[in-house]
């Protein structure tokens, strides 16, 4: 019995102590600093428990979280029935003092107060607030401390003030109204609706220009969202209107498991304003509409657009949110408008049609057919930009590109035609993995004279060449052409070019270059040239050559009494090329005569020549012919003093 009495005594003492500690002023004064210390440790703030009064049925607590931010709770409660009837008052007069808690810059102030009634099984919270200059009221119901119902009404909330409160820049200002009526927010038992309205919205063009470098006109906007929640379904309508864009969306969404059936529309008057969102430096207008249907396993997205004045449609199938297949069609896309949108110069006008069918995105597999129509280069712009000495002629073009994609290899067949040149590629193969390219080609230049704006010299005739192009780690290029009655075989490895000339006719070459036709011969030779250094050497042989009528040989015929026109010459020709300057030597011989020149200077840029020919006919004294000036009509001087002296001696004798 003594043990029982002792235990009973201990329990009574503990109860008295606990009661004294929890529910008397003495106990409250002991607990207050302990609670205050715990709050300080948790918040890392210098909180102060200004008032702490707790009895068996009432409480009155005033906590200064910071000097300018306080929380007060008063009212009655029952510790046995766990019921509450409390009033609360939150006064945040300086939100910046709370930045250390939320780890975000805050500013401004707001007040909220209300009542909490109920017990641990069911609680109701009713309150009001002036957050962001609004008139806000709310009613929240909790079952076993879990929210089950929310009714809130926000009127005249100031968006600029709200952005400033949460430390965001004031990209826009607006008045916001929100009505929330969730009778039940229990998962899978949703019942309620939301109405959000934004009015008098204005974008802050100064902040947009400073932060994103884009200039937009004065832009006003309004927004409305109506959503109804029923069971697992969310049915909604959304509309954003402004003088720059209109965005709309409507349909049904099931969050868990995800299932959507929605339609959308975008009408943008100026794409530049979306740069903060898209991160794309584009401009101009865009209309886009379509639908999204399906679930996480398989979802279909359709789109229709007028991008660059085209009629564009696309259908994308997603599997587990990853693109599975794509079917797209682009009709009558205006290249000039596309260049404007992506802020590129006006290089050209053209219409483009594309039909794309990708049966697989990863790995990439499918076909793409591209038609280029009504192409016309902007000759004036290109001539100015690339500093052509002469204006580029009017250039029109069209083409067809047929592409097959399989296993990350892109095979294209290209047929490109213009009034400057035609290009055909039967198989241009590009490997996506290593970015290598290999292609055959046939190119036809209709009239070389139309390339005067590039070559800076007049040319005659046309040319057809074919070969291969390879680009991986190194660049390799080959070209073969039947030209000037002979053959040209070119090989390029990176910057090193080797060209082999076989049986070309000099008369045809001179005719193509519009040079005086002074010599007709077959020529063989090799050219080694470095593109980067613009230097090289040529080593050739001339055979079975004969001269056309010229002043030098006319004088030779007159004084040396020999007709070199009837003789056939052969010999060697060497040339050194350094950029536009060509230094050449030629040594020609027949059975009885020789014609030679050393260090002839030919400037391909200025089309000038500086040459001295030595002609020895039938063992007569040499005749020296000097050519200086323009290649087409050089100044010719003849030194025949040796022959004249011989003739004079004969006369004297």
């Amino acid at each position: 019995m003594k043990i029982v009495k002792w235990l009973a005594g201990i329990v009574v003492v503990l109860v008295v102590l606990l009661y004294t500690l929890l529910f008397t002023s003495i106990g409250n004064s002991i607990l207050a600093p302990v609670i205050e210390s715990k709050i300080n440790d948790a918040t890392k703030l210098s909180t102060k428990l200004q008032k702490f009064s707790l009895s068996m049925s009432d409480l009155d607590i005033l906590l200064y979280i910071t000097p300018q931010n306080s929380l007060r709770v008063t009212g009655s409660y029952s510790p046995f029935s766990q019921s509450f009837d409390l009033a609360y008052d939150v006064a945040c007069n300086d939100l910046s003092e709370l930045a250390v808690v939320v780890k975000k810059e805050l500013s401004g102030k707001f007040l909220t107060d209300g009542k909490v009634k109920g017990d641990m099984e069911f609680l109701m919270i009713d309150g009001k607030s002036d957050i962001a200059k609004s008139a806000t009221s709310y009613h929240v119901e909790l079952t076993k401390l879990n929210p089950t119902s929310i009714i809130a009404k926000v009127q005249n909330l100031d968006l600029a003030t709200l952005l400033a409160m949460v430390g965001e820049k004031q990209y826009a200002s607006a008045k916001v109204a929100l009505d929330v009526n969730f009778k039940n927010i229990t998962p899978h038992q949703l019942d309620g609706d939301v109405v959000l309205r934004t009015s008098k919205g204005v974008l802050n063009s100064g902040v947009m220009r400073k932060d994103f470098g884009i200039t937009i006109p004065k832009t006003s906007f309004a927004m409305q969202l109506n959503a109804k929640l029923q069971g697992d379904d969310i049915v909604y309508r959304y509309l954003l209107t402004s003088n720059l864009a209109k965005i709309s969306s409507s349909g049904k969404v099931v969050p868990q498991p995800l299932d959507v059936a929605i339609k959308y529309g975008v009408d943008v008057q100026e794409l530049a304003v979306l740069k903060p969102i898209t991160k794309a430096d584009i401009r101009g207008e865009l209309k886009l509409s379509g639908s999204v249907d399906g679930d996480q396993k398989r979802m279909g997205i359709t789109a229709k657009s007028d991008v660059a004045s085209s009629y564009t449609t696309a259908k994308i199938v997603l599997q587990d949110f990853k693109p599975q297949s794509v079917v797209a069609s682009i009709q009558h896309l205006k290249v000039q408008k596309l260049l404007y949108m992506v802020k590129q110069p006006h290089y050209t006008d053209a219409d483009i049609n594309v039909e794309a069918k990708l049966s697989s995105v990863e790995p990439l597999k499918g076909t793409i057919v591209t038609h280029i129509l009504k192409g016309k280069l902007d000759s004036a712009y290109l001539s100015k930009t690339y500093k052509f000495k002469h204006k580029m002629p009017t250039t029109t073009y069209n083409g067809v590109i047929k592409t097959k994609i399989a296993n990350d290899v892109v095979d294209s067949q290209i047929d490109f035609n213009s009034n400057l040149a035609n290009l055909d590629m039967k198989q241009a193969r590009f490997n996506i993995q290593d970015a290598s390219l290999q292609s055959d080609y046939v190119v036809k230049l209709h009239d070389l004279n139309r390339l005067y704006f590039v070559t800076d010299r007049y040319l005659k005739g046309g040319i057809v060449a074919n070969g291969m192009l390879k680009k991986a780690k190194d660049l390799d290029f080959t070209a073969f052409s039947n030209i000037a009655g002979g053959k040209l075989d070119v090989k390029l490895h990176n910057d090193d070019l080797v060209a082999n000339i076989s049986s070309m006719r000099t008369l045809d070459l001179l005719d193509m270059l519009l040079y005086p036709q002074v010599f007709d011969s077959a020529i063989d030779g090799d050219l080694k040239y470095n593109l980067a250094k613009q230097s090289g050497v040529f080593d050739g042989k001339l055979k079975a050559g004969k001269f056309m009528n010229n002043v030098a040989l006319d004088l030779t015929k007159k004084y040396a009494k020999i007709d070199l026109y009837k003789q056939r010459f052969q010999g060697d020709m060497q040339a050194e090329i350094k950029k536009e300057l060509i230094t050449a030597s030629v040594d020609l011989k027949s059975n009885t005569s020789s014609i030679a020149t050393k260090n002839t200077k030919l400037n391909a840029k200025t089309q000038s020549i500086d040459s001295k020919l030595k002609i020895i006919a039938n063992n007569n004294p040499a005749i020296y012919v000097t050519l200086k000036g323009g290649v087409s009509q050089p100044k010719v001087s003849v030194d025949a003093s040796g022959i004249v002296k011989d003739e004079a001696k004969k006369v004297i004798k």
Side-chain angles (χ1 to χ4, degrees):
M1 287 297 293
K2 287 184 178 181
I3 294 174
V4 173
K5 289 179 180 180
W6 273 104
L7 289 175
I10 292 172
V11 171
V12 170
V13 171
L14 289 175
V15 170
V16 171
L17 288 174
L18 184 62
Y19 176 84
T20 302
L21 188 63
L22 293 178
F23 304 117
T24 67
S25 58
I26 296 174
N28 291 168
S29 63
I30 296 173
L31 281 178
V34 177
I35 296 173
E36 183 179 280
S37 176
K38 293 295 184 182
I39 296 174
N40 286 338
D41 292 341
T43 62
K44 308 302 181 183
L45 296 172
S46 298
T47 59
K48 184 172 181 59
L49 197 56
Q50 187 73 27
K51 188 172 185 179
F52 183 76
S53 176
L54 185 66
S55 69
M56 284 292 292
S57 59
D58 300 296
L59 61 84
D60 187 356
I61 300 172
L62 175 58
L63 174 68
Y64 277 90
I65 305 170
T66 66
Q68 297 296 320
N69 302 290
S70 64
L71 166 65
R72 184 165 190 176
V73 180
T74 61
S76 60
Y77 73 100
S78 172
F80 302 107
S81 63
Q82 294 186 327
S83 61
F84 305 89
D85 187 356
L86 305 173
Y88 63 89
D89 189 344
V90 179
C92 292
N93 294 306
D94 188 356
L95 289 170
S96 64
E97 295 180 349
L98 300 175
V100 67
V101 178
V102 299
K103 294 180 174 55
K104 185 176 179 63
E105 292 297 325
L106 302 175
S107 65
K109 64 178 183 177
F110 81 92
L111 307 174
T112 182
D113 62 84
K115 291 188 175 183
V116 180
K117 290 184 179 181
D119 53 33
M120 299 300 289
E121 290 295 318
F122 181 74
L123 278 176
M124 292 189 300
I125 302 174
D126 288 282
K128 61 183 186 298
S129 173
D130 67 346
I131 184 169
K133 300 180 181 179
S134 69
T136 298
S137 61
Y138 50 90
H139 172 80
V140 180
E141 296 179 359
L142 298 91
T143 301
K144 294 183 179 179
L145 300 182
N146 293 313
T148 53
S149 176
I150 299 175
I151 298 173
K153 190 176 186 67
V154 180
Q155 293 180 310
N156 222 28
L157 180 141
D158 188 74
L159 179 61
T161 302
L162 181 64
L163 290 172
M165 286 178 63
V166 296
E168 296 291 340
K169 293 185 179 180
Q170 296 184 26
Y171 295 112
S173 61
K175 296 298 181 181
V176 180
L178 174 65
D179 285 319
V180 177
N181 185 6
F182 288 153
K183 300 172 186 176
N184 191 345
I185 59 174
T186 304
H188 308 297
Q189 300 177 30
L190 298 175
D191 184 10
D193 52 71
V194 179
V195 178
L196 173 66
R197 292 186 180 88
T198 300
S199 60
K200 299 180 181 180
V202 178
L203 290 179
N204 191 327
S205 57
V207 176
M208 300 288 277
R209 182 171 57 252
K210 182 179 179 181
D211 279 17
F212 304 107
I214 60 174
T215 301
I216 60 172
K218 183 177 180 180
T219 304
S220 58
F221 65 91
M223 182 174 64
Q224 182 170 334
L225 170 66
N226 294 79
K228 186 172 183 62
L229 289 71
Q230 193 69 43
D232 287 328
D233 299 343
I234 301 174
V235 180
Y236 76 97
R237 294 193 314 276
Y238 173 79
L239 177 64
L240 170 66
T241 58
S242 77
N243 56 319
L244 289 181
K246 179 180 178 181
I247 302 174
S248 61
S249 179
S250 62
K252 184 175 72 172
V253 177
V254 179
Q256 290 292 337
L258 180 65
D259 192 3
V260 299
I262 63 175
K263 295 181 179 179
Y264 67 90
V266 179
D267 187 352
V268 182
Q269 300 298 316
E270 181 48 67
L271 286 166
V273 74
L274 301 180
K275 184 179 179 180
I277 302 171
T278 63
K279 307 301 182 184
D281 191 13
I282 55 178
R283 62 184 175 183
E285 61 178 350
L286 174 69
K287 290 183 179 179
L288 180 67
S289 61
S291 62
V292 182
D293 292 281
D295 53 26
Q296 179 176 342
K297 291 184 178 180
R298 187 175 179 84
M299 184 176 294
I301 302 175
T302 66
K304 182 172 67 175
S305 173
D306 66 345
V307 58
S309 296
S310 69
Y311 179 73
T312 297
T313 60
K315 184 175 182 180
I316 304 171
V317 176
L318 306 180
Q319 188 169 342
D320 293 325
F321 298 126
K322 295 181 180 180
Q324 185 70 21
S325 65
V326 179
V327 177
S329 174
I330 302 174
Q331 298 295 319
H332 306 298
L333 180 140
K334 303 293 183 184
V335 174
Q336 58 271 30
K337 291 191 176 183
L338 184 63
L339 290 171
Y340 172 82
M341 289 180 66
V342 297
K343 295 186 178 181
Q344 292 297 309
H346 179 255
Y347 296 110
T348 184
D349 292 345
D351 284 3
I352 291 184
N353 297 337
V354 179
E355 297 291 337
K357 296 180 180 179
L358 301 179
S359 57
S360 172
V361 175
E362 189 176 347
L364 206 58
K365 183 178 181 181
T367 60
I368 303 173
V369 179
T370 304
H371 289 267
I372 305 172
L373 308 169
K374 302 177 184 178
K376 184 178 179 181
L377 295 177
D378 189 337
S379 301
Y381 173 79
L382 293 173
S383 298
K384 180 180 179 181
T385 302
Y386 294 101
K387 299 179 180 179
F388 297 142
K389 284 190 174 181
H390 312 282
K391 184 180 178 182
M392 183 180 184
T394 300
T395 304
T396 58
Y397 62 92
N398 60 71
V400 179
I401 304 172
K402 298 179 180 179
T403 301
K404 292 183 179 180
I405 307 171
N407 299 320
D408 292 326
V409 175
V410 181
D411 281 320
S412 296
Q413 183 178 340
I414 301 172
D415 182 8
F416 180 85
N417 303 293
S418 78
N419 57 346
L420 286 182
N422 292 350
L423 174 66
D424 290 313
M425 293 180 170
K426 299 298 183 185
Q427 188 180 55
R429 173 166 288 185
F430 178 75
N431 190 304
I432 298 174
Q433 293 292 332
D434 58 13
S436 63
L437 174 66
Q438 178 175 326
S439 176
D440 64 333
Y441 74 91
V442 177
V443 62
K444 181 178 181 181
L445 300 170
H446 310 297
D447 183 0
L448 293 173
N449 199 45
R450 290 181 62 83
L451 300 179
Y452 178 66
F453 69 98
V454 176
T455 62
D456 198 25
R457 63 167 300 150
Y458 293 106
L459 299 170
K460 183 179 178 181
I463 188 173
V464 178
N466 65 278
M468 293 292 296
L469 169 66
K470 295 181 181 179
K471 179 65 177 79
K473 182 180 179 181
D474 297 310
L475 171 65
D476 289 286
F477 173 82
T478 64
F480 178 82
S481 177
N482 292 315
I483 184 174
K487 296 179 179 180
L488 174 66
D489 194 352
V490 177
K491 293 181 175 64
L492 174 68
H493 179 72
N494 295 327
D495 291 324
D496 295 319
L497 180 145
V498 176
N500 177 262
I501 295 173
S502 176
S503 300
M504 284 190 187
R505 303 303 306 181
T506 58
L507 207 61
D508 292 337
L509 286 173
L510 292 169
D511 184 50
M512 178 183 291
L513 298 171
L514 297 178
Y515 284 164
Q517 298 182 10
V518 296
F519 190 65
D520 183 15
S521 169
I523 181 172
D524 297 330
D526 294 303
L527 170 66
K528 296 180 179 179
Y529 187 80
N530 186 278
L531 298 177
K533 298 177 181 178
Q534 299 182 51
S535 64
V537 294
F538 175 77
D539 189 2
K541 291 187 178 296
L542 299 163
K543 54 188 178 182
K546 66 177 182 177
F547 284 94
M548 304 294 102
N549 291 338
N550 61 81
V551 174
L553 295 195
D554 286 345
L555 290 172
T556 304
K557 183 177 180 180
K558 179 178 180 180
Y559 292 109
K561 309 303 182 187
I562 185 169
D563 189 355
L564 295 181
Y565 294 121
K566 294 181 179 180
Q567 296 191 18
R568 297 295 178 264
F569 290 85
Q570 60 185 10
D572 299 325
M573 177 180 179
Q574 292 84 33
E576 183 180 0
I577 306 168
K578 291 184 177 180
K579 295 186 177 179
E580 66 272 3
L581 184 63
I582 302 172
T583 303
S585 297
V586 180
D587 187 7
L588 299 175
K589 292 180 180 180
S590 69
N591 292 332
T592 61
S593 307
S594 67
I595 299 175
T597 180
K598 289 186 178 181
N599 298 324
T600 288
K601 300 290 191 297
L602 178 64
N603 192 307
K605 186 175 182 180
T606 62
Q607 290 295 295
S608 60
I609 190 171
D610 184 356
S611 176
K612 187 174 183 178
L613 296 171
K614 180 181 179 181
I615 303 174
I616 299 177
N618 202 20
N619 295 319
N620 283 296
I623 296 177
Y624 295 95
V625 181
T626 302
L627 298 92
K628 285 190 176 182
V631 173
S632 58
Q633 289 184 329
K635 182 180 179 181
V636 181
S637 59
V638 180
D639 179 2
S641 58
I643 290 181
V644 172
K645 286 179 181 179
D646 276 0
E647 290 296 318
K649 288 178 181 178
K650 291 178 183 179
V651 171
I652 292 171
K653 187 177 180 180

